[in-house]
Structure formats: structure tokens, C-alpha cells
């Protein structure tokens, strides 16, 4: 019985890959950018800006602190980076049962000449967090992990938007 299942899986493997190839599915390749140098302003910026600096491939050089902005082909201006925590669920006795965590990022992208490549844009990530007074320490650790996850998602979104810039 087990041998027949293995043979069936081996036979279906190439069929599944043919079906995926036939529908246009393609793995995302390496990101390519229309620029080689980038400045992130303000420098060094908040935790999101620091993660963004580490995320670029060697093909894009992110200017270090103290280097003049005139050396950058593209300037990413982080206008606002804000973390929020709001109570969204209460028990009948008025105790908090659920929080909503949010990260908001406002940014703008311009080229070396000062022309706007991307107008002021706001990105937002949010997650819900249940709360229990009996597990406060565990919930605080979960909150940190959720903020870190949202921050990583935000960085990936921002990198895709920077990749979409085709003309300087």
C-alpha cells in the first residue's frame, strides 16, 4: 500500500509542475532597481529604516550616516513612522480583551534633482492581539513579535514600491 502511494506521488509531481508552469506561475526572482545608490532620510531613522537598510542587495548601496544626499540617485524620505495600540474589545466588566496593533508609515521618494518619483504615501499594517490578565508576560512577548512581523511586511512592501520605480 505504501509503495503504491509513493509511486502515485512521483507520477503526480511532474504533472503538478506542468500545470503550474502552464498557468503562468513564476517564482519571484531577484529584485532589480533603476538606481544604484539610495539615501534614507532621516538618517539613521527608526527601527523600520534600519531594517530597510539591511534588506537591500549588494547591487544597491545605501548611503551611510554623514554622506551627502547629493551622492544618492534616489532619496527615500520617511516622513512619519508611528506604532499604535488601541483597545478594541472589552469584557462586561470593562476589562480589555483585545487590542489592535498598527504601524503607519508615511514616505515620499524623489530623485537627485529633487523631482518627486512617488508622492507622499501612507502604508499601514495591523494585527489583532487577544489579551488575558493571567498571561501578561506572554502577551507582551507576542506583541513584540507581531510588531516585528508587521515591520518586516512593511519593509517588503516598501521595497516592492521602490522596485516599481523605472525612470529617474
Amino acid at each position: 500500500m505504501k509503495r503504491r502511494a509513493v509511486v502515485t506521488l512521483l507520477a503526480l509531481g511532474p504533472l503538478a509542475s506542468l500545470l503550474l508552469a502552464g498557468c503562468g506561475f513564476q517564482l519571484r526572482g531577484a529584485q532589480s532597481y533603476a538606481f544604484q545608490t539610495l539615501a534614507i532620510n532621516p538618517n539613521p531613522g527608526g527601527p523600520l529604516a534600519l531594517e530597510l537598510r539591511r534588506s537591500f542587495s549588494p547591487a544597491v548601496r545605501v548611503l551611510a550616516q554623514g554622506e551627502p544626499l547629493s551622492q544618492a540617485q534616489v532619496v527615500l524620505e520617511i516622513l512619519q513612522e508611528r506604532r499604535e495600540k488601541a483597545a478594541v474589545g472589552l469584557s462586561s466588566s470593562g476589562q480589555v480583551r483585545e487590542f489592535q496593533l498598527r504601524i503607519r508609515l508615511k514616505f515620499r521618494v524623489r530623485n537627485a534633482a529633487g523631482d518627486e518619483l512617488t508622492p507622499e504615501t501612507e502604508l499601514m499594517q495591523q494585527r489583532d492581539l487577544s489579551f488575558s490578565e493571567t498571561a501578561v508576560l506572554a502577551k507582551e512577548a507576542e506583541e513584540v513579535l507581531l510588531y516585528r512581523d508587521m515591520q518586516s511586511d512593511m519593509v517588503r512592501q516598501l521595497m516592492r514600491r521602490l522596485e516599481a520605480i523605472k525612470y529617474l
Side-chain angles (χ1 to χ4, degrees):
M1 183 75 173
K2 287 184 181 182
R3 185 174 194 159
R4 188 177 303 164
V6 170
V7 170
T8 304
L9 279 175
L10 290 176
L12 291 177
L15 178 64
S17 64
L18 285 174
L19 288 173
L20 284 176
C23 75
F25 175 79
Q26 182 178 0
L27 290 173
R28 187 181 336 182
Q31 292 178 322
S32 62
Y33 300 95
F35 52 88
Q36 286 81 36
T37 56
L38 170 77
I40 300 174
N41 197 17
N43 194 351
L48 195 133
L50 295 174
E51 183 174 341
L52 183 63
R53 286 180 189 287
R54 291 189 301 260
S55 298
F56 280 100
S57 66
V60 175
R61 185 173 79 84
V62 180
L63 297 184
Q65 191 169 3
E67 289 187 78
L69 294 179
S70 60
Q71 291 182 357
Q73 291 176 300
V74 172
V75 177
L76 169 66
E77 295 177 341
I78 297 179
L79 305 171
Q80 183 182 49
E81 179 182 339
R82 191 170 65 203
R83 293 174 182 232
E84 302 170 350
K85 181 178 179 180
V88 293
L90 301 174
S91 69
S92 60
S93 61
Q95 295 175 330
V96 175
R97 290 291 173 217
E98 189 171 2
F99 287 106
Q100 187 173 67
L101 308 175
R102 291 183 217 112
I103 294 181
R104 293 180 189 269
L105 174 74
K106 284 187 184 178
F107 70 96
R108 165 175 58 215
V109 180
R110 59 180 174 85
N111 62 12
D115 301 325
E116 225 175 48
L117 301 174
T118 303
E120 186 175 315
T121 306
E122 182 177 22
L123 299 177
M124 186 181 82
Q125 286 280 321
Q126 66 183 28
R127 301 285 191 278
D128 292 330
L129 172 69
S130 62
F131 183 75
S132 172
E133 292 177 357
T134 60
V136 173
L137 291 177
K139 290 301 177 178
E140 286 177 1
E142 184 179 357
E143 179 179 336
V144 169
L145 290 174
L146 285 173
Y147 272 126
R148 190 177 306 148
D149 180 52
M150 288 189 293
Q151 179 177 304
S152 296
D153 285 349
M154 188 83 64
V155 165
R156 285 191 292 274
Q157 283 183 28
L158 195 51
M159 291 186 73
R160 283 192 297 272
R161 289 181 185 237
L162 289 171
E163 184 182 21
I165 296 172
K166 296 299 178 197
Y167 304 104
L168 301 178

